[in-house]
Amino acid sequence: TSGSVATSPIDSSDDAYSIPVSIGTPAQVLNLDLDTGSSDLWVFSSLTTASEVNGQNIYTPSKSSTSKLVSGATWKVKYGDESTSSGVVYTDKVTVGGITASSQAVEVAKTVSASFTSNSDIDGLIGMGFDSLNSAKPSAVPTFFDNIIGNLDSPVFTADLKHNKAGSYDFGVIDSSKYTGSLTYVAVDTDPGYWKFTSSGYGIGSAAFKSTSVVGIADTGTTLLYLDTAIVKAYYATVSGASNSATYGGWVFKCSATLPNFVFGVGSAKITIPGSYINYSPVTTGSSTCFGGLQDSTDIGINIFGDVALKAAFVVFDGSDTPRLGWASK
Ligand SMILES: O=C(Cc1ccccc1)Nn1cnc2ccccc21
């Protein structure tokens, strides 16, 4: 089988991208954040502390004739930005883009942290990282991708994220109409469970491309692009008035600034991120100070090719026995 689901930015800043996911019988449709940077499928639910629910759609297992409690199983996930959620585990029928996992572990939240409560556009996450990152106890539960991979025509899913408009995630098929030129594949290191690869270098504006290995993760669940200090400093040195602001926790500049493109290498291929994607958004609504879409990864401890980078490319997440990433321009 193969399938495709539209994915839409949740706001005008492309803060995150959601997909409709059907859970249970009859179907309960929730808008989940497909996240290659984590491996838990968790949802706001009828079991979530009421004061922590703020407009999200919820999954009510008791209303699904196909839900089953996984006795004794619990989960607790903590993300790099310190957000958390936790709860218990059910299995139920889950359908994404016409593809069904008949007994998918659905991690039902009993509690979520403030940043999830305040985001009414996201009803949970669908992790597409490797199972080693799954937080369920006493044993990890498989991701949706793991549950369907055997039925897919090809053991892949692809990401075609776009700026300020709907893109798509495809499963089991590589749609060559969605990219230009050819795909360049790079090896993935699945330790500790991210889609971790080595970029071959970077270029800032019209300056010469710098060939250097940049290890990072392809993470649809992270909004921005986070790279080493030296690269980030060199980039903002070309933006007059840019500064690394303690107040705003990162590089900022005048919203009226014209930012250079940023190129990253994948093997011998090059992906160009338009400077406009790096003029990310005002620090607060209406401000003339804008926050950069490229930020320093030092405090995170790993470089992250988040949505700012991914929306400049068509990306194949190849889950074959030798996992790899395919990149193309579009
Ligand atoms: O946690 C991170 C990485 C990150 C971003 C910013 C600062 C430090 C670390 N991304 N992420 C990946 N999936 C997520 C899901 C929820 C929240 C963040 C998520």
Side-chain angles (χ1 to χ4, degrees), residues 33 35 37-38 79-81 83 116 125 219 221-222 226 300 304:
D33 180 354
D35 179 14
S38 67
Y79 300 99
D81 66 356
S83 60
F116 290 119
L125 268 69
D219 183 357
T222 292
Y226 295 88
I300 301 175
I304 305 179

Side-chain angles (χ1 to χ4, degrees), residues 155-305:
V156 304
F157 66 92
T158 66
D160 181 18
L161 301 181
K162 297 183 183 198
H163 174 53
N164 283 164
K165 65 179 148 197
S168 56
Y169 289 110
D170 296 348
F171 301 89
V173 64
I174 296 171
D175 183 343
S176 58
S177 73
K178 295 188 174 179
Y179 60 88
T180 59
S182 57
L183 285 160
T184 298
Y185 285 92
V186 285
V188 161
D189 173 358
T190 61
D191 176 19
Y194 302 114
W195 291 88
K196 183 164 63 171
F197 71 104
T198 301
S199 167
S200 51
Y202 65 94
I204 296 167
S206 54
F209 182 80
K210 173 81 175 167
S211 291
T212 180
S213 292
V214 179
V215 176
I217 66 172
D219 183 357
T220 58
T222 292
T223 311
L224 307 181
L225 168 59
Y226 295 88
L227 295 175
D228 297 316
T229 305
I231 298 174
V232 177
K233 272 183 152 175
Y235 181 85
Y236 289 111
T238 71
V239 180
S240 59
S243 69
N244 192 356
S245 160
T247 306
Y248 297 114
W251 285 90
V252 299
F253 42 82
K254 280 286 160 229
C255 297
S256 54
T258 301
L259 273 61
N261 296 344
F262 183 84
V263 175
F264 63 94
V266 175
S268 55
K270 293 189 175 47
I271 303 292
T272 299
I273 304 172
S276 56
Y277 290 10
I278 301 176
N279 193 336
Y280 177 67
S281 77
V283 291
T284 47
T285 309
S287 171
S288 63
T289 301
C290 273
F291 198 75
L294 170 60
Q295 294 293 341
D296 192 313
S297 65
T298 305
D299 294 349
I300 301 175
I302 190 166
N303 297 316
I304 305 179
F305 293 82

Side-chain angles (χ1 to χ4, degrees), residues 24-217:
T25 311
Q28 300 179 44
V29 179
L30 274 65
N31 300 312
L32 304 188
D33 180 354
L34 188 151
D35 179 14
T36 59
S38 67
S39 303
D40 287 59
L41 191 170
W42 71 263
V43 293
F44 276 80
S45 74
S46 52
L47 283 64
T48 309
T49 305
S51 62
E52 296 172 357
V53 183
N54 169 36
Q56 290 82 7
N57 301 298
I58 62 169
Y59 166 59
T60 303
S62 62
K63 286 188 179 169
S64 171
S65 61
T66 41
S67 71
K68 286 194 186 109
L69 177 69
V70 179
S71 179
T74 60
W75 61 280
K76 176 173 177 46
V77 62
K78 183 169 190 173
Y79 300 99
D81 66 356
E82 303 298 313
S83 60
T84 58
S85 53
S86 64
V88 296
V89 185
Y90 285 77
T91 55
D92 209 337
K93 183 178 166 195
V94 171
T95 300
V96 178
I99 300 176
T100 295
S102 54
S103 183
Q104 173 68 45
V106 179
E107 300 174 28
V108 161
K110 294 184 79 172
T111 180
V112 303
S113 62
S115 63
F116 290 119
T117 298
S118 60
N119 187 346
S120 59
D121 298 308
I122 295 291
D123 306 326
L125 268 69
I126 176 166
M128 299 287 270
F130 294 91
D131 288 356
S132 50
L133 291 181
N134 179 264
S135 78
K137 303 285 181 210
S139 38
V141 292
T143 64
F144 177 76
F145 186 44
D146 247 7
N147 281 330
I148 65 168
I149 197 166
N151 303 329
L152 295 179
D153 296 342
S154 177
V156 304
F157 66 92
T158 66
D160 181 18
L161 301 181
K162 297 183 183 198
H163 174 53
N164 283 164
K165 65 179 148 197
S168 56
Y169 289 110
D170 296 348
F171 301 89
V173 64
I174 296 171
D175 183 343
S176 58
S177 73
K178 295 188 174 179
Y179 60 88
T180 59
S182 57
L183 285 160
T184 298
Y185 285 92
V186 285
V188 161
D189 173 358
T190 61
D191 176 19
Y194 302 114
W195 291 88
K196 183 164 63 171
F197 71 104
T198 301
S199 167
S200 51
Y202 65 94
I204 296 167
S206 54
F209 182 80
K210 173 81 175 167
S211 291
T212 180
S213 292
V214 179
V215 176
I217 66 172

